[in-house]
Amino acid sequence: MTQRTTLITGVTQGMGRALALDLAPRGGTLLLHGRDPGRLAAVAAEARAAGPGTTIRTYLADLSDLDQVHAMAARIRAAEPHLDGLVHNAVAGGGERPTVRELSRQGHELRFAVNHLAPYALTRALLPLLTASAPARVVNVASIGQEAVDFDDVMTERDYEGLRAYCRSKLAMIMATFELADELRGTGVTVNALHPAHLMDTPGVRAYGLTPLVGTEEGVRPTVRLLLDPETATVTGRYFDRFTEARAHEQAYDAGARARLMALTHRLIGEEPAAG
């Protein structure tokens, strides 16, 4: 990994922090994203201590605000000569008050915005850098918790519950993974999604009132495999349950549903889809 440049979102706690500390000793350049400047600086300091020979740079943005997502992407494109790996780890979970419906800066349901719109918008904005750096890999940290997107109520305005919104947003992320992988075939950029581990010991799991079953290192290992393992270098458009390729929710394989989701997604992030 010595010459690789990797961007990880959501590194200030949970699996993101563990992932940053796992990658830091491997060399190259590590780009760390967070929304809290103090916590981001603290994790960056830990990463520098863990990998003294690794270049660490930080990028601050609140992923619930698409304007900040686009601005961060512009800063990255201006500052970074290449980008070999992108791990979308930042997440809005079920929430401490799961019956309270929260909105993003643009007025979208918060989990749909942070877990689907933001990573897709960031990937699209960084595609020129990723394709120029090919071979490059995009890893979307999804979940085994998936629920069909209701196209009559995409923003979950009816019968709101945080975990339901989370599960819908994670399926949307997987559907976008499949679509983008198809679009990028032949470019040298791979796009995959995974469920990293079941009920890791993270603040999000605890906030929802669930009991963690495993440590964050259990999620780091399968994520790093998709990011770095030579055996997965050409694998794209797949969903993994930890180390094993698995079947996502049936809606992820519905071409019509995926097309509807992507048309909506492009409209909401303010970009037109690619021709063809």
Side-chain angles (χ1 to χ4, degrees):
M1 184 177 167
T2 309
Q3 302 303 319
R4 292 181 62 87
T5 296
T6 303
L7 169 62
I8 311 168
T9 68
V11 303
T12 58
Q13 60 186 9
M15 194 182 85
R17 174 180 170 274
L19 186 59
L21 297 182
D22 181 275
L23 294 180
R26 300 172 188 258
T29 299
L30 201 53
L31 312 178
L32 306 180
H33 156 267
R35 63 173 178 166
D36 181 289
R39 291 193 301 178
L40 181 58
V43 172
E46 286 186 276
R48 290 186 180 104
T54 298
T55 299
I56 308 289
R57 286 192 280 273
T58 59
Y59 287 92
L60 193 67
D62 184 342
L63 300 188
S64 69
D65 183 348
L66 286 170
D67 291 340
Q68 292 192 40
V69 174
H70 292 306
M72 180 174 72
R75 293 196 302 273
I76 293 170
R77 291 196 309 267
E80 306 300 337
H82 57 97
L83 183 63
D84 306 281
L86 170 54
V87 181
H88 289 294
N89 166 79
V91 63
E96 293 181 4
R97 299 180 298 162
T99 60
V100 177
R101 184 172 176 272
E102 300 172 279
L103 301 179
S104 72
R105 175 69 178 80
Q106 283 71 33
H108 310 313
E109 192 279 317
L110 184 67
R111 281 133 193 91
F112 190 82
V114 172
N115 301 341
H116 167 59
L117 294 179
Y120 185 77
L122 183 58
T123 301
R124 286 220 75 88
L126 294 176
L127 278 183
L129 193 53
L130 288 162
T131 54
S133 306
R137 308 190 198 187
V138 178
V139 179
N140 292 325
V141 179
S143 174
I144 202 169
Q146 301 160 29
E147 182 172 310
V149 176
D150 181 351
F151 288 103
D152 294 323
D153 185 24
V154 174
M155 298 299 169
T156 319
E157 297 181 74
R158 299 190 303 266
D159 301 321
Y160 185 83
E161 200 282 327
L163 187 59
R164 174 183 294 119
Y166 167 86
C167 291
R168 289 180 178 183
S169 71
K170 286 301 188 179
L171 179 57
M173 173 185 252
I174 294 168
M175 293 165 77
T177 297
F178 293 170
E179 284 291 302
L180 192 57
D182 284 346
E183 178 185 333
L184 295 177
R185 287 186 193 279
T187 67
V189 179
T190 63
V191 192
N192 293 290
L194 84 157
H195 168 66
H198 192 54
L199 293 179
M200 286 181 291
D201 189 2
T202 66
V205 167
R206 291 185 177 277
Y208 190 75
L210 298 171
T211 301
L213 298 179
V214 298
T216 51
E217 69 279 358
E218 292 301 312
V220 167
R221 293 186 298 114
T223 305
V224 170
R225 172 177 171 267
L226 284 181
L227 182 68
L228 297 179
D229 193 328
E231 291 188 4
T232 61
T234 59
V235 174
T236 193
R238 310 288 179 83
Y239 164 70
F240 291 83
D241 180 352
R242 290 159 288 189
F243 295 98
T244 306
E245 185 176 349
R247 184 88 176 169
H249 188 286
E250 286 304 311
Q251 192 183 45
Y253 306 96
D254 181 335
R258 294 209 316 246
R260 290 183 71 181
L261 175 69
M262 299 319 297
L264 172 66
T265 299
H266 282 105
R267 179 170 63 80
L268 293 178
I269 68 174
E271 294 186 5
E272 293 298 320

